[in-house]
Amino acid sequence: MDDHIDIVRKHFEKKGYRVHCGLQFGCELVLYANDPNKVHSDFCVHVVGSENRIDWRTLQTLVRSMPDLHKTLIVANVREVNGTDPNLPSRFDVDELAIASEHAPFRHKKASKEVGTQRKK
């Protein structure tokens, strides 16, 4: 499972997010669009385990807690993509499923100077 979390962490770092531990929010990772001292995180990431399954109770618990946290849930699944050459190292792809509610609308990371939507006071 730790390998999958590391792969997902690198995946979101490549997209420009600052990635932190999400333990305090009940998930594996939290994504920040900017400096965590300046903005709140908009996304909690749950990483699906190596069995490629998610228990419906876990999903229900996460989905129900996101509006109170003002976050959008992202369920990330790691897939191994094997090439034709067995001597080459395996490559991994990350599939993302964003689940938003009316209290935590889905927001894309903006490329403009103004990044992040929840400003700290």
Side-chain angles (χ1 to χ4, degrees):
M1 180 68 170
D2 287 340
D3 292 341
H4 283 206
I5 294 171
D6 289 339
I7 292 167
V8 173
R9 175 185 297 275
K10 290 175 187 172
H11 170 77
F12 284 110
E13 286 173 347
K14 285 181 185 176
K15 288 186 166 196
Y17 289 99
R18 293 180 187 215
V19 183
H20 291 260
C21 176
L23 184 61
Q24 70 188 46
F25 299 109
C27 57
E28 285 77 24
L29 302 170
V30 176
L31 307 180
Y32 291 88
N34 201 341
D35 183 355
N37 294 321
K38 296 180 181 176
V39 298
H40 293 282
S41 62
D42 286 327
F43 302 102
C44 283
V45 181
H46 174 71
V47 180
V48 178
S50 58
E51 69 281 351
N52 292 329
R53 295 181 137 180
I54 184 169
D55 178 71
W56 71 268
R57 289 183 185 177
T58 302
L59 183 61
Q60 184 179 36
T61 301
L62 288 167
V63 168
R64 286 187 175 193
S65 63
M66 291 303 115
D68 292 337
L69 298 170
H70 300 285
K71 307 222 179 307
T72 297
L73 175 65
I74 297 176
V75 178
N77 184 46
V78 177
R79 283 185 299 116
E80 185 173 0
V81 180
N82 293 325
T84 55
D85 187 352
N87 297 323
L88 292 175
S90 296
R91 195 188 86 194
F92 297 94
D93 284 342
V94 176
D95 298 320
E96 305 170 32
L97 175 65
I99 303 172
S101 71
E102 64 184 64
H103 299 291
F106 182 74
R107 295 180 279 258
H108 292 280
K109 182 179 182 311
K110 297 178 182 174
S112 67
K113 292 180 186 177
E114 204 48 46
V115 182
T117 56
Q118 297 184 44
R119 295 278 176 208
K120 290 188 176 179
K121 295 181 182 181

PDB file of all heavy atoms in Angstrom, residues 53-64:
ATOM      1  N   ARG A  53      -9.730  -2.805  -4.998  1.00  0.00           N
ATOM      2  CA  ARG A  53     -11.121  -2.755  -4.557  1.00  0.00           C
ATOM      3  C   ARG A  53     -11.248  -1.733  -3.440  1.00  0.00           C
ATOM      4  O   ARG A  53     -10.328  -1.526  -2.662  1.00  0.00           O
ATOM      5  CB  ARG A  53     -11.590  -4.105  -4.029  1.00  0.00           C
ATOM      6  CG  ARG A  53     -11.614  -5.172  -5.058  1.00  0.00           C
ATOM      7  CD  ARG A  53     -12.097  -6.432  -4.437  1.00  0.00           C
ATOM      8  NE  ARG A  53     -13.027  -7.040  -5.372  1.00  0.00           N
ATOM      9  CZ  ARG A  53     -13.643  -8.151  -5.160  1.00  0.00           C
ATOM     10  NH1 ARG A  53     -13.463  -8.796  -4.045  1.00  0.00           N
ATOM     11  NH2 ARG A  53     -14.455  -8.638  -6.054  1.00  0.00           N
ATOM     12  N   ILE A  54     -12.422  -1.140  -3.365  1.00  0.00           N
ATOM     13  CA  ILE A  54     -12.708  -0.236  -2.256  1.00  0.00           C
ATOM     14  C   ILE A  54     -14.010  -0.711  -1.608  1.00  0.00           C
ATOM     15  O   ILE A  54     -14.993  -0.998  -2.300  1.00  0.00           O
ATOM     16  CB  ILE A  54     -12.800   1.237  -2.714  1.00  0.00           C
ATOM     17  CG1 ILE A  54     -13.012   2.152  -1.518  1.00  0.00           C
ATOM     18  CG2 ILE A  54     -13.831   1.441  -3.780  1.00  0.00           C
ATOM     19  CD1 ILE A  54     -12.852   3.618  -1.826  1.00  0.00           C
ATOM     20  N   ASP A  55     -13.972  -0.843  -0.320  1.00  0.00           N
ATOM     21  CA  ASP A  55     -15.137  -1.275   0.439  1.00  0.00           C
ATOM     22  C   ASP A  55     -16.200  -0.180   0.387  1.00  0.00           C
ATOM     23  O   ASP A  55     -15.890   0.997   0.544  1.00  0.00           O
ATOM     24  CB  ASP A  55     -14.697  -1.546   1.883  1.00  0.00           C
ATOM     25  CG  ASP A  55     -15.845  -1.961   2.755  1.00  0.00           C
ATOM     26  OD1 ASP A  55     -16.337  -3.076   2.578  1.00  0.00           O
ATOM     27  OD2 ASP A  55     -16.247  -1.150   3.618  1.00  0.00           O
ATOM     28  N   TRP A  56     -17.463  -0.537   0.162  1.00  0.00           N
ATOM     29  CA  TRP A  56     -18.507   0.475   0.015  1.00  0.00           C
ATOM     30  C   TRP A  56     -18.685   1.286   1.284  1.00  0.00           C
ATOM     31  O   TRP A  56     -19.026   2.466   1.230  1.00  0.00           O
ATOM     32  CB  TRP A  56     -19.830  -0.139  -0.437  1.00  0.00           C
ATOM     33  CG  TRP A  56     -20.533  -0.968   0.603  1.00  0.00           C
ATOM     34  CD1 TRP A  56     -20.422  -2.298   0.809  1.00  0.00           C
ATOM     35  CD2 TRP A  56     -21.467  -0.486   1.578  1.00  0.00           C
ATOM     36  NE1 TRP A  56     -21.208  -2.689   1.856  1.00  0.00           N
ATOM     37  CE2 TRP A  56     -21.874  -1.597   2.352  1.00  0.00           C
ATOM     38  CE3 TRP A  56     -21.995   0.756   1.882  1.00  0.00           C
ATOM     39  CZ2 TRP A  56     -22.777  -1.492   3.393  1.00  0.00           C
ATOM     40  CZ3 TRP A  56     -22.902   0.855   2.923  1.00  0.00           C
ATOM     41  CH2 TRP A  56     -23.285  -0.256   3.663  1.00  0.00           C
ATOM     42  N   ARG A  57     -18.433   0.688   2.453  1.00  0.00           N
ATOM     43  CA  ARG A  57     -18.563   1.448   3.701  1.00  0.00           C
ATOM     44  C   ARG A  57     -17.474   2.506   3.823  1.00  0.00           C
ATOM     45  O   ARG A  57     -17.709   3.603   4.313  1.00  0.00           O
ATOM     46  CB  ARG A  57     -18.517   0.511   4.900  1.00  0.00           C
ATOM     47  CG  ARG A  57     -19.768  -0.312   5.010  1.00  0.00           C
ATOM     48  CD  ARG A  57     -19.754  -1.181   6.219  1.00  0.00           C
ATOM     49  NE  ARG A  57     -20.938  -2.035   6.188  1.00  0.00           N
ATOM     50  CZ  ARG A  57     -21.215  -2.944   7.063  1.00  0.00           C
ATOM     51  NH1 ARG A  57     -20.404  -3.141   8.073  1.00  0.00           N
ATOM     52  NH2 ARG A  57     -22.294  -3.662   6.957  1.00  0.00           N
ATOM     53  N   THR A  58     -16.272   2.167   3.385  1.00  0.00           N
ATOM     54  CA  THR A  58     -15.186   3.147   3.376  1.00  0.00           C
ATOM     55  C   THR A  58     -15.537   4.300   2.454  1.00  0.00           C
ATOM     56  O   THR A  58     -15.394   5.473   2.818  1.00  0.00           O
ATOM     57  CB  THR A  58     -13.865   2.493   2.924  1.00  0.00           C
ATOM     58  OG1 THR A  58     -13.561   1.418   3.807  1.00  0.00           O
ATOM     59  CG2 THR A  58     -12.734   3.489   2.891  1.00  0.00           C
ATOM     60  N   LEU A  59     -15.999   3.976   1.262  1.00  0.00           N
ATOM     61  CA  LEU A  59     -16.384   5.011   0.299  1.00  0.00           C
ATOM     62  C   LEU A  59     -17.513   5.869   0.846  1.00  0.00           C
ATOM     63  O   LEU A  59     -17.463   7.108   0.774  1.00  0.00           O
ATOM     64  CB  LEU A  59     -16.783   4.376  -1.033  1.00  0.00           C
ATOM     65  CG  LEU A  59     -17.132   5.334  -2.151  1.00  0.00           C
ATOM     66  CD1 LEU A  59     -15.945   6.206  -2.491  1.00  0.00           C
ATOM     67  CD2 LEU A  59     -17.603   4.569  -3.376  1.00  0.00           C
ATOM     68  N   GLN A  60     -18.523   5.256   1.427  1.00  0.00           N
ATOM     69  CA  GLN A  60     -19.649   5.997   1.987  1.00  0.00           C
ATOM     70  C   GLN A  60     -19.196   6.916   3.120  1.00  0.00           C
ATOM     71  O   GLN A  60     -19.610   8.072   3.202  1.00  0.00           O
ATOM     72  CB  GLN A  60     -20.719   5.024   2.485  1.00  0.00           C
ATOM     73  CG  GLN A  60     -21.962   5.721   3.001  1.00  0.00           C
ATOM     74  CD  GLN A  60     -23.006   4.728   3.471  1.00  0.00           C
ATOM     75  OE1 GLN A  60     -22.662   3.682   4.026  1.00  0.00           O
ATOM     76  NE2 GLN A  60     -24.257   5.047   3.250  1.00  0.00           N
ATOM     77  N   THR A  61     -18.328   6.429   3.981  1.00  0.00           N
ATOM     78  CA  THR A  61     -17.815   7.243   5.088  1.00  0.00           C
ATOM     79  C   THR A  61     -17.041   8.446   4.562  1.00  0.00           C
ATOM     80  O   THR A  61     -17.229   9.576   5.033  1.00  0.00           O
ATOM     81  CB  THR A  61     -16.909   6.395   5.995  1.00  0.00           C
ATOM     82  OG1 THR A  61     -17.672   5.296   6.506  1.00  0.00           O
ATOM     83  CG2 THR A  61     -16.355   7.211   7.140  1.00  0.00           C
ATOM     84  N   LEU A  62     -16.172   8.224   3.585  1.00  0.00           N
ATOM     85  CA  LEU A  62     -15.393   9.324   3.017  1.00  0.00           C
ATOM     86  C   LEU A  62     -16.283  10.347   2.323  1.00  0.00           C
ATOM     87  O   LEU A  62     -16.129  11.557   2.509  1.00  0.00           O
ATOM     88  CB  LEU A  62     -14.347   8.782   2.040  1.00  0.00           C
ATOM     89  CG  LEU A  62     -13.169   8.057   2.663  1.00  0.00           C
ATOM     90  CD1 LEU A  62     -12.379   7.300   1.611  1.00  0.00           C
ATOM     91  CD2 LEU A  62     -12.279   9.031   3.416  1.00  0.00           C
ATOM     92  N   VAL A  63     -17.222   9.870   1.523  1.00  0.00           N
ATOM     93  CA  VAL A  63     -18.115  10.780   0.786  1.00  0.00           C
ATOM     94  C   VAL A  63     -18.943  11.615   1.755  1.00  0.00           C
ATOM     95  O   VAL A  63     -19.115  12.823   1.556  1.00  0.00           O
ATOM     96  CB  VAL A  63     -19.028   9.989  -0.182  1.00  0.00           C
ATOM     97  CG1 VAL A  63     -20.147  10.857  -0.724  1.00  0.00           C
ATOM     98  CG2 VAL A  63     -18.203   9.419  -1.326  1.00  0.00           C
ATOM     99  N   ARG A  64     -19.418  11.017   2.820  1.00  0.00           N
ATOM    100  CA  ARG A  64     -20.249  11.754   3.780  1.00  0.00           C
ATOM    101  C   ARG A  64     -19.447  12.758   4.607  1.00  0.00           C
ATOM    102  O   ARG A  64     -19.991  13.739   5.087  1.00  0.00           O
ATOM    103  CB  ARG A  64     -20.971  10.789   4.703  1.00  0.00           C
ATOM    104  CG  ARG A  64     -22.101  10.082   4.001  1.00  0.00           C
ATOM    105  CD  ARG A  64     -22.904   9.257   4.950  1.00  0.00           C
ATOM    106  NE  ARG A  64     -24.049   8.695   4.267  1.00  0.00           N
ATOM    107  CZ  ARG A  64     -25.064   8.141   4.886  1.00  0.00           C
ATOM    108  NH1 ARG A  64     -25.070   8.067   6.209  1.00  0.00           N
ATOM    109  NH2 ARG A  64     -26.063   7.645   4.213  1.00  0.00           N
TER     110      ARG A  64
END
